[in-house]
Amino acid sequence: KIIPNGNLVIPGTAMVFNRTKKTLENVAPIITKEKILFFRKKSSVNEENIAQTYGLNYKTGEDNDGIFDYNGRLIAVEICRDHGTGKLKSSVDKLVDFQFVLACGLDGISPDKCIVKNNGTVGFINGRTRNHQPEVYTLRKKNDSFDFLKGSETEDYSLINI
């Protein structure tokens, strides 16, 4: 087992250089109790320019939808602009229990681009904001509208009960 107590770990995203394949990828690793999953960003903001600077090609994540099953619950992971452009919502026809949006400069969640079921949870983590402070909040979908979960901006957001 990778994570002995069964926790799900979503540490954020990383730019990964693959010198053998000459590619650059924006990757979100997901660590479960049994394996490590990798989801790649589907769009580019500046990644293509960064890749070209190093003589690499930017590789998008069109080979997966960012959805996986964990303990019988469907979880979706989106990276930054993919959420802003609605890539996930336009590519799948299923609803999930949890949706995590990992960002670095995205202005916020667009509820019309979320794919959670009623009573589903959306977690937003933004590592770069105008005031240089991480932005984290959680939304809960109820009756087709979204509400902030009480205290989600100030409580310890590193643990969400799945």
Side-chain angles (χ1 to χ4, degrees), residues 90-133:
S90 66
S91 66
V92 299
D93 61 355
K94 54 186 144 189
L95 297 177
V96 299
D97 299 292
F98 294 92
Q99 181 174 352
F100 294 98
V101 179
L102 313 174
C104 185
L106 189 66
D107 286 333
I109 292 290
S110 299
D112 62 319
K113 296 181 176 107
C114 293
I115 62 165
V116 293
K117 304 171 183 175
N118 266 325
N119 294 315
T121 302
V122 179
F124 178 64
I125 302 169
N126 188 8
R128 187 179 76 203
T129 61
R130 288 181 186 92
N131 65 4
H132 305 289
Q133 295 297 316

Short mmCIF file of all heavy atoms in Angstrom, two decimals, residues 90-133:
data_model
loop_
_atom_site.label_atom_id
_atom_site.label_comp_id
_atom_site.label_asym_id
_atom_site.label_seq_id
_atom_site.Cartn_x
_atom_site.Cartn_y
_atom_site.Cartn_z
N SER A 90 -17.72 19.66 -20.79
CA SER A 90 -18.07 19.44 -22.19
C SER A 90 -17.65 18.07 -22.71
O SER A 90 -18.10 17.64 -23.76
CB SER A 90 -17.45 20.53 -23.07
OG SER A 90 -16.04 20.43 -23.06
N SER A 91 -16.80 17.35 -21.92
CA SER A 91 -16.29 16.07 -22.43
C SER A 91 -16.89 14.84 -21.75
O SER A 91 -16.66 13.72 -22.20
CB SER A 91 -14.77 16.03 -22.31
OG SER A 91 -14.38 16.02 -20.95
N VAL A 92 -17.63 15.01 -20.67
CA VAL A 92 -18.21 13.85 -19.97
C VAL A 92 -19.70 14.08 -19.73
O VAL A 92 -20.17 15.21 -19.71
CB VAL A 92 -17.52 13.57 -18.62
CG1 VAL A 92 -16.05 13.26 -18.81
CG2 VAL A 92 -17.71 14.70 -17.64
N ASP A 93 -20.42 12.99 -19.57
CA ASP A 93 -21.86 13.09 -19.30
C ASP A 93 -22.24 12.47 -17.97
O ASP A 93 -23.36 12.07 -17.76
CB ASP A 93 -22.65 12.45 -20.44
CG ASP A 93 -22.35 10.96 -20.60
OD1 ASP A 93 -21.46 10.45 -19.90
OD2 ASP A 93 -23.01 10.33 -21.42
N LYS A 94 -21.28 12.42 -17.04
CA LYS A 94 -21.57 11.85 -15.72
C LYS A 94 -21.38 12.92 -14.65
O LYS A 94 -20.68 13.90 -14.85
CB LYS A 94 -20.71 10.63 -15.46
CG LYS A 94 -19.22 10.82 -15.61
CD LYS A 94 -18.49 9.51 -15.46
CE LYS A 94 -17.31 9.44 -16.40
NZ LYS A 94 -16.69 8.16 -16.45
N LEU A 95 -22.01 12.67 -13.51
CA LEU A 95 -21.86 13.55 -12.36
C LEU A 95 -21.00 12.86 -11.32
O LEU A 95 -21.00 11.64 -11.21
CB LEU A 95 -23.23 13.89 -11.77
CG LEU A 95 -24.17 14.67 -12.71
CD1 LEU A 95 -25.52 14.89 -12.04
CD2 LEU A 95 -23.56 15.99 -13.13
N VAL A 96 -20.26 13.64 -10.54
CA VAL A 96 -19.33 13.09 -9.57
C VAL A 96 -19.71 13.53 -8.16
O VAL A 96 -20.51 14.45 -7.97
CB VAL A 96 -17.88 13.53 -9.88
CG1 VAL A 96 -17.44 13.03 -11.25
CG2 VAL A 96 -17.72 15.04 -9.79
N ASP A 97 -19.12 12.85 -7.17
CA ASP A 97 -19.36 13.20 -5.77
C ASP A 97 -18.48 14.35 -5.32
O ASP A 97 -18.91 15.20 -4.53
CB ASP A 97 -19.09 11.97 -4.88
CG ASP A 97 -20.02 10.82 -5.24
OD1 ASP A 97 -21.22 10.95 -4.98
OD2 ASP A 97 -19.52 9.80 -5.77
N PHE A 98 -17.23 14.38 -5.79
CA PHE A 98 -16.27 15.42 -5.44
C PHE A 98 -15.59 15.92 -6.70
O PHE A 98 -15.24 15.12 -7.57
CB PHE A 98 -15.19 14.88 -4.49
CG PHE A 98 -15.71 14.46 -3.16
CD1 PHE A 98 -16.11 13.16 -2.95
CD2 PHE A 98 -15.79 15.37 -2.11
CE1 PHE A 98 -16.60 12.75 -1.72
CE2 PHE A 98 -16.28 14.97 -0.87
CZ PHE A 98 -16.68 13.66 -0.68
N GLN A 99 -15.37 17.23 -6.78
CA GLN A 99 -14.64 17.82 -7.89
C GLN A 99 -13.59 18.76 -7.29
O GLN A 99 -13.93 19.65 -6.49
CB GLN A 99 -15.58 18.59 -8.79
CG GLN A 99 -14.92 19.22 -9.99
CD GLN A 99 -15.93 19.86 -10.94
OE1 GLN A 99 -17.14 19.70 -10.79
NE2 GLN A 99 -15.44 20.56 -11.93
N PHE A 100 -12.34 18.56 -7.64
CA PHE A 100 -11.26 19.41 -7.16
C PHE A 100 -10.69 20.21 -8.32
O PHE A 100 -10.37 19.65 -9.37
CB PHE A 100 -10.14 18.56 -6.53
CG PHE A 100 -10.58 17.85 -5.28
CD1 PHE A 100 -10.97 16.53 -5.31
CD2 PHE A 100 -10.61 18.52 -4.06
CE1 PHE A 100 -11.38 15.86 -4.17
CE2 PHE A 100 -11.02 17.87 -2.90
CZ PHE A 100 -11.41 16.54 -2.95
N VAL A 101 -10.58 21.52 -8.14
CA VAL A 101 -9.99 22.40 -9.14
C VAL A 101 -8.69 22.94 -8.55
O VAL A 101 -8.70 23.64 -7.55
CB VAL A 101 -10.95 23.56 -9.51
CG1 VAL A 101 -10.29 24.47 -10.53
CG2 VAL A 101 -12.27 23.02 -10.04
N LEU A 102 -7.58 22.55 -9.18
CA LEU A 102 -6.24 22.96 -8.73
C LEU A 102 -5.77 24.06 -9.66
O LEU A 102 -5.66 23.84 -10.87
CB LEU A 102 -5.29 21.77 -8.79
CG LEU A 102 -5.81 20.46 -8.18
CD1 LEU A 102 -4.83 19.33 -8.44
CD2 LEU A 102 -6.07 20.64 -6.70
N ALA A 103 -5.50 25.26 -9.12
CA ALA A 103 -5.23 26.40 -9.98
C ALA A 103 -4.01 27.19 -9.54
O ALA A 103 -3.54 27.08 -8.41
CB ALA A 103 -6.46 27.31 -10.02
N CYS A 104 -3.56 28.02 -10.46
CA CYS A 104 -2.47 28.95 -10.20
C CYS A 104 -2.80 30.24 -10.95
O CYS A 104 -2.26 30.51 -12.02
CB CYS A 104 -1.15 28.37 -10.65
SG CYS A 104 0.25 29.39 -10.21
N GLY A 105 -3.76 30.99 -10.41
CA GLY A 105 -4.14 32.25 -11.04
C GLY A 105 -5.56 32.29 -11.57
O GLY A 105 -6.01 33.33 -12.05
N LEU A 106 -6.31 31.21 -11.48
CA LEU A 106 -7.71 31.18 -11.92
C LEU A 106 -8.55 32.04 -10.97
O LEU A 106 -8.36 31.99 -9.77
CB LEU A 106 -8.22 29.74 -11.93
CG LEU A 106 -9.59 29.48 -12.56
CD1 LEU A 106 -9.56 29.76 -14.05
CD2 LEU A 106 -10.02 28.05 -12.32
N ASP A 107 -9.48 32.82 -11.52
CA ASP A 107 -10.27 33.74 -10.70
C ASP A 107 -11.24 33.06 -9.75
O ASP A 107 -11.68 33.67 -8.79
CB ASP A 107 -11.04 34.72 -11.58
CG ASP A 107 -10.11 35.77 -12.19
OD1 ASP A 107 -9.06 36.05 -11.59
OD2 ASP A 107 -10.43 36.29 -13.26
N GLY A 108 -11.61 31.83 -10.00
CA GLY A 108 -12.52 31.15 -9.08
C GLY A 108 -13.30 30.05 -9.78
O GLY A 108 -13.11 29.78 -10.96
N ILE A 109 -14.19 29.44 -9.03
CA ILE A 109 -15.04 28.37 -9.54
C ILE A 109 -16.16 28.96 -10.39
O ILE A 109 -16.75 29.96 -10.02
CB ILE A 109 -15.66 27.58 -8.36
CG1 ILE A 109 -14.58 26.82 -7.62
CG2 ILE A 109 -16.77 26.65 -8.81
CD1 ILE A 109 -13.99 25.67 -8.37
N SER A 110 -16.44 28.30 -11.49
CA SER A 110 -17.61 28.64 -12.30
C SER A 110 -18.64 27.54 -12.07
O SER A 110 -18.50 26.44 -12.61
CB SER A 110 -17.24 28.69 -13.79
OG SER A 110 -16.28 29.67 -14.03
N PRO A 111 -19.67 27.83 -11.25
CA PRO A 111 -20.65 26.79 -10.93
C PRO A 111 -21.27 26.12 -12.16
O PRO A 111 -21.55 24.92 -12.13
CB PRO A 111 -21.71 27.53 -10.11
CG PRO A 111 -20.94 28.63 -9.46
CD PRO A 111 -19.95 29.06 -10.51
N ASP A 112 -21.43 26.86 -13.24
CA ASP A 112 -22.01 26.27 -14.45
C ASP A 112 -21.06 25.28 -15.12
O ASP A 112 -21.46 24.54 -16.02
CB ASP A 112 -22.43 27.37 -15.44
CG ASP A 112 -21.26 28.21 -15.93
OD1 ASP A 112 -20.38 28.55 -15.10
OD2 ASP A 112 -21.23 28.52 -17.12
N LYS A 113 -19.82 25.22 -14.68
CA LYS A 113 -18.85 24.27 -15.25
C LYS A 113 -18.56 23.11 -14.30
O LYS A 113 -17.70 22.30 -14.56
CB LYS A 113 -17.58 25.02 -15.63
CG LYS A 113 -17.84 26.03 -16.75
CD LYS A 113 -16.60 26.74 -17.15
CE LYS A 113 -16.92 27.65 -18.33
NZ LYS A 113 -16.96 29.04 -17.99
N CYS A 114 -19.27 23.06 -13.18
CA CYS A 114 -19.09 21.97 -12.22
C CYS A 114 -19.95 20.77 -12.60
O CYS A 114 -21.03 20.93 -13.17
CB CYS A 114 -19.46 22.45 -10.82
SG CYS A 114 -18.33 23.70 -10.19
N ILE A 115 -19.46 19.59 -12.28
CA ILE A 115 -20.18 18.35 -12.65
C ILE A 115 -20.52 17.51 -11.42
O ILE A 115 -20.65 16.30 -11.52
CB ILE A 115 -19.40 17.52 -13.68
CG1 ILE A 115 -18.05 17.07 -13.11
CG2 ILE A 115 -19.21 18.28 -14.98
CD1 ILE A 115 -17.40 15.96 -13.91
N VAL A 116 -20.70 18.15 -10.26
CA VAL A 116 -21.03 17.40 -9.06
C VAL A 116 -22.53 17.14 -8.95
O VAL A 116 -23.34 17.93 -9.43
CB VAL A 116 -20.53 18.09 -7.76
CG1 VAL A 116 -19.03 18.10 -7.70
CG2 VAL A 116 -21.10 19.48 -7.63
N LYS A 117 -22.85 16.01 -8.31
CA LYS A 117 -24.24 15.66 -8.02
C LYS A 117 -24.78 16.61 -6.95
O LYS A 117 -24.01 17.29 -6.28
CB LYS A 117 -24.32 14.24 -7.46
CG LYS A 117 -23.73 13.17 -8.31
CD LYS A 117 -23.68 11.85 -7.55
CE LYS A 117 -23.01 10.78 -8.39
NZ LYS A 117 -22.83 9.54 -7.66
N ASN A 118 -26.09 16.62 -6.76
CA ASN A 118 -26.64 17.34 -5.61
C ASN A 118 -26.02 16.75 -4.35
O ASN A 118 -25.81 15.54 -4.25
CB ASN A 118 -28.16 17.24 -5.56
CG ASN A 118 -28.81 18.43 -6.25
OD1 ASN A 118 -28.31 19.55 -6.20
ND2 ASN A 118 -29.91 18.19 -6.92
N ASN A 119 -25.69 17.59 -3.40
CA ASN A 119 -24.95 17.28 -2.17
C ASN A 119 -23.49 16.94 -2.45
O ASN A 119 -22.78 16.50 -1.55
CB ASN A 119 -25.62 16.16 -1.36
CG ASN A 119 -26.95 16.61 -0.82
OD1 ASN A 119 -27.07 17.70 -0.30
ND2 ASN A 119 -27.96 15.77 -0.97
N GLY A 120 -23.03 17.17 -3.69
CA GLY A 120 -21.63 16.99 -4.01
C GLY A 120 -20.80 18.17 -3.54
O GLY A 120 -21.32 19.23 -3.23
N THR A 121 -19.49 17.98 -3.49
CA THR A 121 -18.57 18.99 -2.98
C THR A 121 -17.58 19.39 -4.05
O THR A 121 -17.05 18.54 -4.76
CB THR A 121 -17.81 18.46 -1.76
OG1 THR A 121 -18.77 18.08 -0.76
CG2 THR A 121 -16.88 19.49 -1.17
N VAL A 122 -17.32 20.70 -4.15
CA VAL A 122 -16.31 21.24 -5.06
C VAL A 122 -15.24 21.91 -4.20
O VAL A 122 -15.56 22.80 -3.40
CB VAL A 122 -16.89 22.27 -6.04
CG1 VAL A 122 -15.80 22.82 -6.95
CG2 VAL A 122 -18.02 21.68 -6.86
N GLY A 123 -14.00 21.48 -4.35
CA GLY A 123 -12.89 22.10 -3.63
C GLY A 123 -12.05 22.91 -4.59
O GLY A 123 -11.70 22.43 -5.68
N PHE A 124 -11.74 24.14 -4.24
CA PHE A 124 -10.95 25.04 -5.08
C PHE A 124 -9.68 25.43 -4.34
O PHE A 124 -9.74 25.90 -3.21
CB PHE A 124 -11.77 26.28 -5.43
CG PHE A 124 -11.02 27.30 -6.25
CD1 PHE A 124 -10.61 27.00 -7.53
CD2 PHE A 124 -10.76 28.56 -5.74
CE1 PHE A 124 -9.93 27.94 -8.30
CE2 PHE A 124 -10.09 29.51 -6.51
CZ PHE A 124 -9.67 29.20 -7.79
N ILE A 125 -8.55 25.22 -4.97
CA ILE A 125 -7.28 25.60 -4.40
C ILE A 125 -6.53 26.42 -5.44
O ILE A 125 -6.24 25.93 -6.53
CB ILE A 125 -6.45 24.37 -4.00
CG1 ILE A 125 -7.24 23.52 -3.00
CG2 ILE A 125 -5.10 24.78 -3.43
CD1 ILE A 125 -6.66 22.17 -2.74
N ASN A 126 -6.25 27.68 -5.11
CA ASN A 126 -5.56 28.58 -6.02
C ASN A 126 -4.25 29.00 -5.38
O ASN A 126 -4.25 29.68 -4.36
CB ASN A 126 -6.43 29.81 -6.30
CG ASN A 126 -5.86 30.69 -7.39
OD1 ASN A 126 -4.90 30.32 -8.05
ND2 ASN A 126 -6.46 31.84 -7.58
N GLY A 127 -3.15 28.60 -5.98
CA GLY A 127 -1.84 28.89 -5.41
C GLY A 127 -1.30 30.27 -5.70
O GLY A 127 -0.34 30.71 -5.10
N ARG A 128 -1.93 31.00 -6.65
CA ARG A 128 -1.44 32.34 -6.97
C ARG A 128 -2.61 33.30 -7.11
O ARG A 128 -3.45 33.14 -7.98
CB ARG A 128 -0.62 32.33 -8.26
CG ARG A 128 0.05 33.68 -8.54
CD ARG A 128 0.86 33.66 -9.79
NE ARG A 128 -0.05 33.74 -10.92
CZ ARG A 128 0.23 33.32 -12.14
NH1 ARG A 128 1.38 32.76 -12.38
NH2 ARG A 128 -0.64 33.45 -13.11
N THR A 129 -2.66 34.28 -6.25
CA THR A 129 -3.72 35.28 -6.28
C THR A 129 -3.09 36.67 -6.34
O THR A 129 -1.88 36.83 -6.22
CB THR A 129 -4.60 35.18 -5.02
OG1 THR A 129 -3.78 35.42 -3.88
CG2 THR A 129 -5.26 33.82 -4.91
N ARG A 130 -3.94 37.67 -6.50
CA ARG A 130 -3.45 39.06 -6.58
C ARG A 130 -2.72 39.48 -5.31
O ARG A 130 -1.79 40.26 -5.36
CB ARG A 130 -4.61 40.00 -6.87
CG ARG A 130 -5.12 39.86 -8.28
CD ARG A 130 -6.27 40.84 -8.55
NE ARG A 130 -6.82 40.57 -9.87
CZ ARG A 130 -7.83 39.74 -10.10
NH1 ARG A 130 -8.42 39.13 -9.11
NH2 ARG A 130 -8.25 39.54 -11.33
N ASN A 131 -3.16 38.98 -4.15
CA ASN A 131 -2.50 39.36 -2.89
C ASN A 131 -1.44 38.35 -2.46
O ASN A 131 -0.97 38.38 -1.33
CB ASN A 131 -3.54 39.57 -1.79
CG ASN A 131 -4.28 38.30 -1.42
OD1 ASN A 131 -3.99 37.22 -1.95
ND2 ASN A 131 -5.24 38.42 -0.53
N HIS A 132 -1.11 37.42 -3.35
CA HIS A 132 -0.04 36.43 -3.12
C HIS A 132 -0.32 35.49 -1.96
O HIS A 132 0.61 34.94 -1.36
CB HIS A 132 1.32 37.12 -2.94
CG HIS A 132 1.67 38.02 -4.07
ND1 HIS A 132 2.01 37.55 -5.31
CD2 HIS A 132 1.70 39.37 -4.15
CE1 HIS A 132 2.24 38.57 -6.12
NE2 HIS A 132 2.06 39.70 -5.44
N GLN A 133 -1.58 35.30 -1.61
CA GLN A 133 -1.97 34.35 -0.57
C GLN A 133 -2.75 33.21 -1.22
O GLN A 133 -3.57 33.45 -2.09
CB GLN A 133 -2.86 35.02 0.47
CG GLN A 133 -2.16 36.11 1.26
CD GLN A 133 -1.00 35.57 2.07
OE1 GLN A 133 -1.11 34.54 2.71
NE2 GLN A 133 0.12 36.26 2.02
#
